């Protein structure tokens, strides 16, 4: 199967899952995670109708950004503070706000170019040492701390659950949905909660059932990557 077939297969699956759980499939944003794949594949995907791409390494992203035009870019990887300046004017959404110092830097760089940068807070829902993100116990304090930052707009939450069996994964997704609804209730000026980013190739159907409205699919669209699963989201 080629990339175009993969995309239509994923879109069909999104539709059928949505039908089964009574959701509107037009509410689901498919992010094609193109990390490690060459520009030609991204262009193939773009020609097949994919318009949001997710990248996780700054240097690799910049190169692709210059070569693939007229698409939208989401940054989904762990972001180092000293690299914020390279991406701030190029991405529409950062999925991986995971620390207060990073929030300060994103805010500062956004202010410099007169932008309000949309971000998601990454939650380390499985409390894994190998993953980034805010623990759920810290989430509401974290929200409060970043609530004064005028050049970032908090659009929702993101998670990468532990790689376990599907029942555990579903439990983590449910937990995220609960946190998402709680964060929605916060009345901070720079909060406009609309997105719950969760679900990848192997579990995006479960994520949709549990309330995701952004899913991030890599392998299912572009095929196998050139590095291991453990590297997900880690620099
Ligand atoms: C790589 C990556 C994905 C895509 O994973 P697949 O299993 O290939 O679909 C999704 N989200 C993040 C944060 C990633 O780093």
């Amino acid at each position: 199967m080629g990339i175009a077939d993969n995309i239509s297969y994923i879109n069909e699956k999104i539709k059928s899952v949505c039908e089964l759980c009574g959701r509107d499939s037009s509410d689901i944003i498919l992010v094609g995670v193109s990390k490690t794949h060459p520009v030609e594949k991204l262009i193939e995907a773009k020609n097949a109708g994919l318009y949001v791409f997710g990248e996780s390494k700054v240097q690799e992203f910049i190169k692709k950004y210059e070569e693939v035009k007229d698409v939208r870019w989401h940054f989904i990887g762990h972001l180092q503070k000293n690299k914020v300046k390279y991406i701030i004017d190029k991405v529409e959404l950062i999925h991986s706000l995971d620390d207060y110092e990073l929030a300060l830097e994103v805010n500062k760089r956004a202010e410099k170019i007169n932008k309000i940068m949309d971000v998601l807070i990454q939650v380390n829902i499985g409390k894994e040492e190998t993953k980034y993100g805010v623990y759920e116990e810290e989430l509401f304090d974290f929200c409060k701390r970043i609530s004064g930052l005028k050049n970032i707009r908090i659009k929702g939450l993101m998670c990468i659950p532990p790689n376990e069996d599907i029942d555990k994964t579903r439990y983590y997704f449910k937990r995220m949905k609960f946190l998402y609804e709680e964060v929605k209730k916060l009345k901070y000026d720079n909060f406009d909660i609309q997105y719950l980013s969760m679900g990848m190739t192997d579990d995006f159907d479960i994520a949709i059932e549990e309330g995701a409205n952004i899913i991030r699919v890599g392998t299912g669209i572009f095929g196998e990557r050139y590095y291991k699963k453990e590297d997900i989201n880690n620099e």
Side-chain angles (χ1 to χ4, degrees):
M1 290 221 299
I3 287 177
D5 299 314
N6 293 345
I7 293 171
S8 50
Y9 175 78
I10 304 274
N11 279 325
E12 283 310 311
K13 192 158 166 188
I14 292 171
K15 271 201 199 126
S16 62
V17 177
C18 281
E19 256 166 46
L20 281 172
C21 64
R23 297 189 59 190
D24 186 345
S25 61
S26 65
D27 291 342
I28 312 290
I29 298 172
L30 170 63
V31 177
V33 178
S34 48
K35 64 189 185 199
T36 81
H37 295 290
V39 162
E40 297 73 51
K41 283 196 178 183
L42 277 72
I43 291 171
E44 204 180 323
K46 176 188 157 183
N47 291 338
L50 188 73
Y51 52 92
V52 188
F53 290 78
E55 286 284 336
S56 62
K57 297 235 155 73
V58 170
Q59 246 186 327
E60 183 185 341
F61 160 62
I62 302 289
K63 184 175 170 283
K64 289 173 177 171
Y65 175 85
E66 276 155 13
E67 294 183 33
V68 185
K69 299 292 177 189
D70 304 316
V71 297
R72 288 148 53 186
W73 297 98
H74 287 193
F75 196 83
I76 63 170
H78 174 63
L79 182 55
Q80 290 174 312
K81 283 197 295 292
N82 62 350
K83 293 187 179 164
V84 172
K85 56 180 177 288
Y86 303 118
I87 70 158
I88 192 80
D89 58 329
K90 301 179 179 65
V91 296
E92 104 177 345
L93 183 65
I94 296 171
H95 287 228
S96 43
L97 190 75
D98 55 14
D99 153 275
Y100 182 63
E101 298 296 321
L102 176 63
L104 288 180
E105 179 66 14
V106 172
N107 186 62
K108 183 177 112 187
R109 294 290 170 179
E111 189 176 1
K112 264 199 173 148
I113 60 164
N114 242 321
K115 178 178 183 174
I116 311 274
M117 185 71 235
D118 286 343
V119 301
L120 306 180
I121 300 170
Q122 182 173 350
V123 180
N124 188 348
I125 194 68
K127 298 194 174 72
E128 294 172 283
E129 271 175 33
T130 53
K131 289 209 178 105
Y132 291 95
V134 179
Y135 283 11
E136 60 182 283
E137 291 81 0
E138 305 164 344
L139 179 60
F140 295 90
D141 279 342
F142 183 72
C143 288
K144 192 168 179 206
R145 282 186 92 188
I146 61 177
S147 66
L149 304 175
K150 293 190 169 56
N151 287 79
I152 59 176
R153 193 190 287 119
I154 319 308
K155 300 293 286 187
L157 303 180
M158 177 273 229
C159 81
I160 310 165
N163 194 9
E164 291 180 49
D165 64 69
I166 211 71
D167 293 335
K168 289 247 180 63
T169 303
R170 188 187 290 282
Y171 164 81
Y172 290 122
F173 287 160
K174 277 190 199 294
R175 195 74 209 143
M176 284 297 295
K177 177 65 157 59
F178 170 77
L179 295 171
Y180 169 74
E181 295 298 339
E182 289 301 302
V183 170
K184 242 187 190 174
K185 294 177 188 162
L186 299 173
K187 293 286 177 264
Y188 300 128
D189 286 346
N190 63 344
F191 276 53
D192 176 24
I193 302 299
Q194 321 182 350
Y195 297 130
L196 182 55
S197 167
M198 57 188 194
M200 315 196 296
T201 297
D202 292 337
D203 55 20
F204 73 84
D205 49 340
I206 311 291
I208 291 172
E209 286 172 11
E210 298 303 335
N213 53 17
I214 300 184
I215 59 172
R216 310 177 309 264
V217 178
T219 315
I221 293 176
F222 296 101
E224 288 298 325
R225 276 188 298 279
Y226 307 106
Y227 54 80
K228 297 196 303 286
K229 202 132 189 158
E230 290 78 66
D231 291 340
I232 283 181
N233 202 243
N234 294 341
E235 271 289 291

